[in-house]
């Protein structure tokens, strides 16, 4: 009888203390219970259990991840969604999706989890007509609509110079993150970039630090003469100091978004990497208590890496073809320890069947006057042409244009230089719009007449093994090629990207008309019947 009375009193005591919701042995105390996901008719975005209870401070003396006082989970969940290298692909294209379905996916994620955080790792603006013709503003507006927490600046954010960055900064509702971009005149961090931003959720603080990698060679020199980047050990020291400051201010979890990354796609499971394998862009000492999660960009590779300290590194492929990166993090509010529940690459197939969000159409209407030229047909292309064929045609246009402008005054050897072609990488058969040419050749690199010593002309242009250099020349160029004087001075036609690239050792003599770029020469050529 006494045993029965004691058992009854124990049950009553447990009910009064509020511990009746303790997890079963199938729910281990050291890991959060897996949240449920959406139904088959909605995108599979997290739908986490209730985070905070009624306590101002949870207690978990029995270490079962359930608060001893309010019986709610002691975990707070955060979902990070990162996009890199969008390259202005806001609207649907012939070989890439727009962001209308992605917008629906992300908005659903936000509805299901108030702690969903959207981050960019750079190169958001340059690439497609709707963004190029607005100098990135249409994409910045979209990011405002999506409530991005922050954006690391990429090398292609500099394609229109720092003035365009400043103009976008004026309309952005989120910070541009670049802890290592400094003004050459003042030697201080530029005022349009912040080193970090703090986002709060359910009583916890998330710090996001941003940086650009050592991407000088991917920026036209004339577009960033007023700034410089601190890289290598200087960058590591800056990030460590900022992370320590954030920790001292009570930040619970620190994300690093950097426009630089691993150079190889790694499909399949998470791949462990050593510090030496990623040392070209990331110092793994940052993972020793400073950084908890890294989102990357620039290299257009898809991977999920885990470094020697257990910190995850993610990047998804660029040009809006591959999708986005997603990481679910659970933070134990009693022990202040985070755990990564899921690190995944979300492919476009997971949301391309969703309804289009109207924001894209609204933004296209807002900027209609600026982007209408993109839909103008400039000519007819009689066959599908490869990227190399189009790059050679650009070199031909450079040479012919230079001869017409400066040929009477200078003996011009060749036209061309480093000529890059972007997505989709070819010119399709049929009617060609200005926007199609702009997608192939988006860069605002102005034609230039340059002088060069014979030895550099031979090494960098006539006899180069760089597959990205394309040249065109006539009889005089052939004569020079067969009988070059290494000490003589020659003249060539190139563009500002090649002209200001120091290794080419060119001296600019004259510049062509402002606002005329490779795509404009091609548009005029096609309007006159070329490529039919």
């Amino acid at each position: 009888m006494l045993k029965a009375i004691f058992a009854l009193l124990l049950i009553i005591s447990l009910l009064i203390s509020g511990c009746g919701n303790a997890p079963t042995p199938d729910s281990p105390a050291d890991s959060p219970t897996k949240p449920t996901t959406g139904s088959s008719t909605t995108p599979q975005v997290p739908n986490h259990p209730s985070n905070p209870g009624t306590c101002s401070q949870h207690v978990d003396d029995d270490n079962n991840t359930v608060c001893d006082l309010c019986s709610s989970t002691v975990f707070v969940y955060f979902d990070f969604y990162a996009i890199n290298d969008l390259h202005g692909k806001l609207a649907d294209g012939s070989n890439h999706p727009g962001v209308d379905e992605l917008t629906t996916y992300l908005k659903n994620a936000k509805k299901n989890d108030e702690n969903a955080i959207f981050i960019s790792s750079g190169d958001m603006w340059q690439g497609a007509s709707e963004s190029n013709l607005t100098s990135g503003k249409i994409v910045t507006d979209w990011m405002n609509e999506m409530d991005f927490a922050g954006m690391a600046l990429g090398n292609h954010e500099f394609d229109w110079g720092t003035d365009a960055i400043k103009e976008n900064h004026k309309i952005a509702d989120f910070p541009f993150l670049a802890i290592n971009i400094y003004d050459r005149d003042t030697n201080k961090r530029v005022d349009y970039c912040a080193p970090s931003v703090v986002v709060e959720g359910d009583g916890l603080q998330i710090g996001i630090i941003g940086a650009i990698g050592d991407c000088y060679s991917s920026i036209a020199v004339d577009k960033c003469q007023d700034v410089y980047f601190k890289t290598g050990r200087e960058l590591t020291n800056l990030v460590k100091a900022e992370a320590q400051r954030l920790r001292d201010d009570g930040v619970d979890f620190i994300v690093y978004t950097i426009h630089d990354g691993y150079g190889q796609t790694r499909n399949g499971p998470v791949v462990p990497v050593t510090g030496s394998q990623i040392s070209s862009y990331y110092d793994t000492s940052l993972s020793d208590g400073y950084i908890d999660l890294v989102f990357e960009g620039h290299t257009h590779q898809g991977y999920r890496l885990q470094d020697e300290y257990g910190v995850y590194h993610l990047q998804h492929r660029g040009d809006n073809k591959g999708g986005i990166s997603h990481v679910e993090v659970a933070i134990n509010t009693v022990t202040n320890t985070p755990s990564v529940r899921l690190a995944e690459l979300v492919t476009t197939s997971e949301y391309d069947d969703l309804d289009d969000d109207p924001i894209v159409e609204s933004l296209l209407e807002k900027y209609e006057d600026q982007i209408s030229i993109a839909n103008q047909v400039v000519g007819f292309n009689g066959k599908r042409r490869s990227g190399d064929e189009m790059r050679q045609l650009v070199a031909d246009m450079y040479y012919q244009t230079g001869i017409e402008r400066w040929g009477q005054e200078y003996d011009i050897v060749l036209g061309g230089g480093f000529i890059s072609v972007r997505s989709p990488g070819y010119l399709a058969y049929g009617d060609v719009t200005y926007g199609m040419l702009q997608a192939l050749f988006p860069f605002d690199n102005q034609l230039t007449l340059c002088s060069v010593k014979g030895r550099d002309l031979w090494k960098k242009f006539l006899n180069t093994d760089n597959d990205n250099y394309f040249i065109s020349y006539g009889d005089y160029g052939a004569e020079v090629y067969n009988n070059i004087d290494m000490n003589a001075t020659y003249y060539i036609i190139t563009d500002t990207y090649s002209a200001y690239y120091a290794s080419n050792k060119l001296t600019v003599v004259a510049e062509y008309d402002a606002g005329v770029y490779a795509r404009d020469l091609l548009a005029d050529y096609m309007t006159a019947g070329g490529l039919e």
Side-chain angles (χ1 to χ4, degrees), residues 130-309:
E130 62 268 24
S131 183
N132 284 32
L133 293 169
T134 62
S135 297
K137 291 186 176 68
I138 194 170
V139 173
T140 300
D141 278 351
W142 175 72
M143 296 176 71
N144 285 340
E145 173 72 16
M146 299 308 300
D147 193 25
F148 268 69
M151 165 185 164
L153 287 188
N155 55 292
H156 286 299
E157 265 70 67
F158 287 88
D159 282 345
W160 307 297
T162 54
D163 285 343
I165 299 176
K166 294 173 185 177
E167 288 301 310
N168 275 276
H169 179 255
K170 292 177 182 177
I171 67 172
D173 295 334
F174 54 90
F176 295 165
L177 302 175
I179 194 171
N180 58 329
I181 299 180
Y182 278 70
D183 185 284
R184 286 193 183 277
D185 291 333
T186 66
N187 287 321
K188 295 181 179 179
R189 186 180 299 112
V190 294
D191 57 10
Y192 48 84
C193 290
S196 66
V197 63
V198 174
V199 180
E200 297 187 359
D202 290 328
L204 298 182
Q205 296 186 92
I206 305 297
I208 305 170
I209 299 173
I212 187 172
D214 188 359
C215 301
Y216 283 115
S217 62
S218 298
I219 305 174
V221 176
D222 60 315
K223 305 297 184 183
C224 62
Q225 291 179 326
D226 53 341
V227 297
Y228 65 94
F229 308 154
K230 291 189 176 182
T231 59
R233 184 174 297 278
E234 282 187 308
L235 175 56
T236 295
N237 292 338
L238 287 173
V239 175
K240 283 184 176 180
E242 183 66 9
Q244 188 61 57
R245 184 189 71 80
L246 292 173
R247 300 281 190 202
D248 292 343
D249 287 345
V251 168
D252 301 282
F253 190 84
I254 297 180
V255 178
Y256 186 34
T257 175
I258 178 172
H259 189 73
D260 210 345
Y262 194 62
Q264 182 179 357
T265 288
R266 302 298 296 265
N267 296 317
V270 175
V271 176
V273 290
T274 64
S276 61
Q277 289 175 299
I278 58 177
S279 61
S280 63
Y281 69 93
Y282 183 82
D283 183 343
T284 53
S285 69
L286 291 172
S287 297
D288 187 13
Y290 298 96
I291 299 300
D292 300 307
L293 174 64
V294 187
F295 291 112
E296 301 169 357
H298 186 56
T299 56
H300 290 220
Q301 304 299 310
Y303 53 75
R304 294 173 300 153
L305 311 177
Q306 194 171 25
D307 67 31
E308 56 206 83
Y309 291 93

Side-chain angles (χ1 to χ4, degrees), residues 16 28 34 53 81 86 90 108 117 209 217 226 237 248 253 264 274 289 340 387 403 408 422 427 437 469 499 518 531:
I16 292 174
K34 182 176 177 60
Y81 295 87
L86 177 67
L90 198 77
N108 284 337
I117 297 173
I209 299 173
S217 62
D226 53 341
N237 292 338
D248 292 343
F253 190 84
Q264 182 179 357
T274 64
V340 173
I403 289 292
Q408 295 297 319
R422 307 294 290 189
L427 187 65
L437 296 178
Y469 275 71
L531 298 187

